[in-house]
Amino acid sequence: MRRCLVACSVLLAVTALTGVRAPVDPPLPQRLADTGGGSQLITAEASATGATTGTVTWWNRRSGQWVAAGSAPARFGANGLTEGATREQGTDTTPTGLYDLPYAFGVAAAPPGTRYPYRRVHNGSWWCQDNAARAYNRWVEPRPADCRASEAEHLITYPAQYARALVVGFNYERPVRGRGAGIFLHVNGHGATAGCVSVPAAAMDRILAWADPARRPHLAIGTDSGPTAITRY
């Protein structure tokens, strides 16, 4: 025991003298398999697939280095997270993966400084989730006859959640029927989401004022580790 204490004391002394410290993990974006190729990134990370809360962080890349610009507590789907490539519609799960952010929208006006294309919500604004509709996983205004109201989201009926939001490009460019529709980054409601990622209203305003489409921001969603680890995307 005495020898161990002496050895530990020597190591501590050497560390103090040389300034050598334990290695520090690089910033999260530098550990991702892909960041989308832009110089802005949003990460939404949960502890495990069963988690309904986590952290959203937004990052800037300058001079080859990623630096956090802000962070906020996040909420995920009521049934946690699942692999985006195999997600099923109606499961109340947040899809993991790396996604672009096509445009912003809201019941309220865009916050000052917003550079993203911003679409205001009106009484006739719907998000079609009807698998049989031609406009599946698209904003429709007015709602077409082939998109049933029971299979669509009347956006204006969510004035708190959709006060301000960003469309997440999950299943968006070439929609796969049954995979899921209407995944957004939006303002918190009363609890977990139906599959979106949500943050406090003040954080959503900060994200919209920060996001610059010219810098090609993406959203990476994932867990700390395992098959859905955020570093895989």
Side-chain angles (χ1 to χ4, degrees):
M1 176 64 75
R2 189 182 187 88
R3 290 182 179 178
C4 179
L5 289 172
V6 171
C8 290
S9 298
V10 170
L11 285 173
L12 287 171
V14 170
T15 298
L17 289 171
T18 62
V20 176
R21 296 182 179 180
V24 178
D25 286 339
L28 179 58
Q30 291 181 214
R31 291 181 275 130
L32 266 59
D34 188 7
T35 59
S39 59
Q40 286 188 331
L41 178 72
I42 303 172
T43 56
E45 189 174 19
S47 59
T49 53
T52 58
T53 60
T55 304
V56 159
T57 306
W58 48 107
W59 307 78
N60 290 315
R61 188 174 188 270
R62 300 187 187 279
S63 301
Q65 298 296 319
W66 285 100
V67 179
S71 66
R75 296 176 183 173
F76 298 103
N79 288 321
L81 298 84
T82 192
E83 171 59 54
T86 55
R87 181 183 184 269
E88 294 182 5
Q89 185 164 324
T91 55
D92 287 350
T93 52
T94 298
T96 60
L98 179 69
Y99 307 107
D100 64 353
L101 300 163
Y103 62 92
F105 70 92
V107 175
T114 299
R115 286 162 288 186
Y116 246 81
Y118 192 89
R119 191 167 187 177
R120 288 295 297 273
V121 172
H122 302 287
N123 190 55
S125 306
W126 296 73
W127 196 274
C128 185
Q129 300 176 353
D130 192 330
N131 283 282
R134 286 175 293 177
Y136 176 67
N137 201 19
R138 289 292 186 274
W139 178 302
V140 290
E141 190 174 330
R143 180 178 53 82
D146 71 339
C147 181
R148 294 166 291 171
S150 61
E151 297 295 325
E153 205 166 46
H154 195 196
L155 300 177
I156 205 166
T157 60
Y158 300 92
Q161 294 94 323
Y162 298 156
R164 289 166 177 147
L166 274 165
V167 175
V168 176
F170 165 73
N171 199 34
Y172 189 77
E173 186 176 353
R174 295 181 180 85
V176 175
R177 311 285 167 154
R179 182 64 46 78
I183 300 298
F184 312 124
L185 173 60
H186 64 70
V187 176
N188 284 341
H190 295 298
T193 73
C196 298
V197 178
S198 73
V199 293
M204 193 69 233
D205 287 358
R206 289 177 62 196
I207 290 169
L208 285 174
W210 159 86
D212 182 355
R215 296 179 63 186
R216 298 170 57 197
H218 284 67
L219 170 64
I221 306 171
T223 53
D224 291 347
S225 60
T228 55
I230 195 169
T231 52
R232 293 183 59 245
Y233 301 109

